[in-house]
Amino acid sequence: MSNHTSRLSGFYKRSLEERASALQSWAQLSDTEIDVLQGSSGLSAAQADHMIENTVGIYSLPLGIATNFLINGQDRLIPMVIEEPSVVAAMSNAARLFREGGGFQTSSDAPIMIGQLQVLDLQDVAEAAEKIAAYKQRLLDEADAVGGSIVKRGGGARDLQVRPFLDTPIGPMLVVHLLMDVRDAMGANAINTAAEHIAPLVEEITGGRVNLRILSNLTDQRKARAEGMIPASALATEAMSGEEVARAVVEAGVFAEVDPYRAATHNKGIMNGVDAVIIATGNDWRAIEAGAHAYAARNGRYTSLSRYWQDDQGNLHAAMEMPLSVGIVGGATRVHPAAQVALKILGVASAQELAEICVAAGLAQNFAALRALASEGIQRGHMRMHAKQIAVSAGAAPEQVRSVVEQMIRENNIRPERAKAIVESLKG
Ligand code: MEV
């Protein structure tokens, strides 16, 4: 969709209204769609009442736009829903640097979900496993029979896998995995329906008893990956050469590779970027979180999801792969008006495309954190945002916020009492 650039220099300096209007023409949004983003229309309590139980209201969060992304040669503006200051700015800034190295290259697996069936009370687990293999096609056909629109759109059951657990506290267990291509859906309903539907046949074939029938959030058949390069020259700061910054980022990456305590924080930074897009598009961020962290521990030790290295010229390279079960149809994606607008801004044609954008966002966010941590630290930028929040809660009018913030920073006194006093003096 976009033959225009996402490199929107100074976007952050514009007023909220100016940003909304730039976005409106960039993504060809209607006035109603802008109203949805700004909260004057959007998800209503009545709609929310149909989404969950015991609804009493709706809860809002900021929606920002990350600029500068170039992904597989295409410019993207990325909507992010997040409560944490600095994240949107840091991600946009990182995207600008990756852009200097040609942007992100991304790819993804077919959208395969895994449904698990826990088969118990088996006389012979190995024999049951063989029978499942022998009846594979019949089981796949049975799963497709309840595949509905997903099968019509070219998805459906693809494979069966068996995983024996011979010695467990409840005796031998056979876990059957049903692999299903769910196309552009997140696919939870489709895979759960299929798993429940084939359970009686699995019991008949194996002679066992099926207990649980549920998807796995470790969606490791449905991974997306992104990589990118930043020329060393683009990384120089006042205090460090570009090569030094690149090396320090690589060192920071290795810290997370070897130490789970650091990996948890490192991956949290990645999820700052990923989750913000997941939430903006109405997807299930708990599912994505569960999959990401389980995948990070897949080799028995929790580690970093991303990798960094330098080439012979000292340029910085970054890459990441993670499971991402996202949808662009169904669920909250369809019901939530702001999620619909977010998808329109992204201009994605498939769930895979959305997954790839999420990984690029996560990698950009991760790099931004590492660069800040490995050079000046993150507190300077954070303190400015912190001061802004304090100024707003002290009652500063929108046009006063900047001067209240500047004064608190100048005085090195970022406290609610000081903010209130400055606001009072401005009134005078
Ligand atoms: C804060 O939300 C995220 C960071 O802690 C991530 C990191 O340490 O890499 C800055």
Side-chain angles (χ1 to χ4, degrees), residues 84 262 265-266 268-269 272 369-370 373 378:
E84 185 174 330
R262 174 58 204 153
T265 326
H266 177 102
K268 189 275 181 182
N272 277 346
L370 297 192
L373 292 166
I378 56 169

Side-chain angles (χ1 to χ4, degrees), residues 38-378:
Q38 300 202 328
S40 57
S41 59
L43 187 70
S44 66
Q47 280 169 310
D49 196 23
H50 294 299
M51 290 174 79
I52 64 162
E53 308 72 39
N54 300 3
T55 306
V56 292
I58 43 180
Y59 176 107
S60 306
L61 283 169
L63 186 148
I65 295 289
T67 56
N68 305 332
F69 273 82
L70 184 64
I71 302 177
N72 297 336
Q74 198 174 346
D75 280 80
R76 305 271 190 182
L77 290 183
I78 303 190
M80 302 174 74
V81 169
I82 188 157
E83 87 298 342
E84 185 174 330
S86 305
V87 170
V88 180
M91 199 165 104
S92 305
N93 200 26
R96 182 178 57 78
L97 294 172
F98 277 105
R99 201 180 173 89
E100 293 197 26
F104 293 96
Q105 288 76 48
T106 65
S107 62
S108 53
D109 303 329
I112 303 279
M113 291 296 279
I114 300 169
Q116 297 197 290
L117 292 93
Q118 179 194 24
V119 193
L120 302 169
D121 301 347
L122 291 165
Q123 301 295 331
D124 185 336
V125 169
E127 193 188 318
E130 277 168 26
K131 283 188 180 156
I132 291 286
Y135 283 92
K136 178 166 137 179
Q137 196 50 53
R138 186 155 164 227
L139 285 159
L140 296 181
D141 292 345
E142 195 66 30
D144 275 345
V146 289
S149 62
I150 279 175
V151 172
K152 279 192 211 100
R153 281 192 241 117
R158 292 289 183 263
D159 203 2
L160 281 177
Q161 292 170 349
V162 283
R163 302 172 56 245
F165 293 87
L166 298 179
D167 187 17
T168 85
I170 50 156
M173 183 192 301
L174 183 68
V175 177
V176 177
H177 278 190
L178 168 65
L179 271 50
M180 186 170 180
D181 183 326
V182 296
R183 298 284 86 204
D184 290 321
M186 184 273 187
N189 275 332
I191 190 71
N192 288 339
T193 302
E196 287 189 7
H197 182 71
I198 66 168
L201 185 55
V202 168
E203 288 183 333
E204 196 183 310
I205 292 169
T206 60
R209 172 175 62 89
V210 174
N211 188 27
L212 298 198
R213 299 139 295 164
I214 182 72
L215 64 77
S216 170
N217 285 124
L218 177 50
T219 55
D220 62 1
Q221 306 289 314
R222 193 179 187 180
K223 297 183 296 298
R225 44 203 85 77
E227 60 178 276
M229 184 274 280
I230 303 178
S233 55
L235 287 168
T237 66
E238 272 170 28
M240 292 165 86
S241 75
E243 259 235 58
E244 280 170 334
V245 174
R247 191 173 339 118
V249 169
V250 172
E251 288 163 352
V254 172
F255 182 5
E257 278 179 46
V258 301
D259 178 8
Y261 283 89
R262 174 58 204 153
T265 326
H266 177 102
N267 290 344
K268 189 275 181 182
I270 290 171
M271 301 313 286
N272 277 346
V274 175
D275 283 340
V277 190
I278 294 294
I279 298 172
T281 54
N283 275 287
D284 179 347
W285 74 92
R286 286 89 55 214
I288 302 299
E289 284 279 340
H293 297 294
Y295 189 66
R298 66 194 177 284
N299 294 325
R301 181 171 53 80
Y302 187 84
T303 185
S304 157
L305 285 166
S306 59
R307 294 287 176 271
Y308 289 87
W309 68 96
Q310 279 180 280
D311 62 25
D312 296 345
Q313 284 84 50
N315 303 320
L316 180 68
H317 292 254
M320 183 163 82
E321 177 180 72
M322 62 182 286
L324 264 160
S325 49
V326 292
I328 61 167
V329 295
T333 304
R334 185 172 46 83
V335 179
H336 199 300
Q340 281 292 317
V341 181
L343 285 170
K344 182 166 174 186
I345 296 166
L346 284 166
V348 286
S350 70
Q352 276 181 250
E353 225 179 304
L354 175 58
E356 291 176 24
I357 290 175
C358 290
V359 191
L363 189 56
Q365 192 63 55
N366 179 225
F367 160 76
L370 297 192
R371 185 180 71 131
L373 292 166
S375 53
E376 64 168 4
I378 56 169

